[in-house]
Amino acid sequence: MPRARSEERRAEILRAAFEVIAERGYRGASLASVAERVGLTQQGLLHYFPTKEALLVAVLEERDQWDTGGAGLSPQAWRLDLLDSLVEYNAMRPGVVQTFSALLGESVTDGHPARDFFTHRYALVRGGVAGALRAEFGERLPSGLTPEQAAPLLVAVMDGLQYQWLLDPASVDMPGAFRNFLALLHRA
């Protein structure tokens, strides 16, 4: 029972950290503000996450679990129809998309604690998308590109649509635009 309670507390801390980061950005978020939100002291929070960086990486890993229904970035999580569903799902949760996008943007700076996470994550994502494209099209897409050549383009479309949608949701139909891109892949 104590282990289950510890896991529940950890999940509560991750949700609170995500909220605080969404409100203030990573640099503006403090361990004290996360601890206060869950009724802990900062020292109590450090029992679960020894550093702010460890908490950030755990939040990002948890977000990937939420997005994939627990499959994470495993190869089974990658199918074009599931990517389409993920874009549709993201359109219903702007706060999550905003937090992820802000952290991604911050992570390109030298020394950012999430830089290694995102670098590794994107390698996995490109590999998973290449696998999904291979399952859909074989070794060549209708355009003649290989799955490995097309994967970074598809990922760039997903991320770019998120930024455009966050900036002007009334003008950018993120799920519709992504479906249009998938149609281009099939007709190229």
Side-chain angles (χ1 to χ4, degrees), residues 3 5 26 38 62 83-84 91 94-95 101 107 115 121 126 129 140-141 143 145 151 156 167 187:
R3 179 170 160 76
R5 195 173 7 209
Y26 171 73
V38 294
E62 188 69 16
L83 292 176
D84 185 34
S101 297
S107 76
R115 187 178 183 113
R121 182 185 188 280
R126 286 189 304 272
V129 168
R140 294 275 174 192
L141 280 69
S143 66
L145 294 176
L167 290 168
R187 286 190 226 126

Side-chain angles (χ1 to χ4, degrees), residues 132-159:
L133 290 168
R134 183 169 284 104
E136 184 85 14
F137 298 106
E139 292 305 314
R140 294 275 174 192
L141 280 69
S143 66
L145 294 176
T146 66
E148 286 72 23
Q149 291 170 320
L153 302 174
L154 190 146
V155 174
V157 166
M158 289 179 75
D159 287 350

Side-chain angles (χ1 to χ4, degrees), residues 7 9 13 17 20 24-25 39 42 50 52 55 72 76 84 92 95 103 107 116 121 128 133 137 148 154 164 173 176:
E7 288 301 314
R9 186 58 142 173
I13 292 167
V20 170
R24 304 175 189 179
Q42 187 170 331
K52 183 178 177 184
L55 178 58
Q76 309 85 282
D84 185 34
M92 295 184 285
L103 286 170
S107 76
D116 289 342
R121 182 185 188 280
L133 290 168
F137 298 106
E148 286 72 23
L154 190 146
Q164 292 178 62
D173 173 9

Side-chain angles (χ1 to χ4, degrees), residues 3 6 11 29 46 65 73 110 120 140 156 161 170 182 184-185:
R3 179 170 160 76
S6 177
L46 291 172
Q65 293 297 316
L73 298 179
D110 289 337
H120 179 70
R140 294 275 174 192
L161 283 171
L182 291 179
L184 282 175
L185 288 179

Side-chain angles (χ1 to χ4, degrees), residues 26-96:
Y26 171 73
R27 297 198 195 285
S30 69
L31 289 176
S33 58
V34 174
E36 181 181 326
R37 198 165 285 207
V38 294
L40 288 172
T41 64
Q42 187 170 331
Q43 199 60 33
L45 180 84
L46 291 172
H47 170 76
Y48 295 94
F49 299 96
T51 65
K52 183 178 177 184
E53 292 78 14
L55 178 58
L56 172 64
V57 170
V59 165
L60 291 168
E61 290 170 346
E62 188 69 16
R63 181 213 176 253
D64 281 340
Q65 293 297 316
W66 295 334
D67 282 357
T68 60
L73 298 179
S74 67
Q76 309 85 282
W78 300 101
R79 292 192 341 242
L80 292 184
D81 62 320
L82 293 179
L83 292 176
D84 185 34
S85 295
L86 177 59
V87 172
E88 187 82 40
Y89 179 51
N90 280 343
M92 295 184 285
R93 49 195 202 133
V96 171

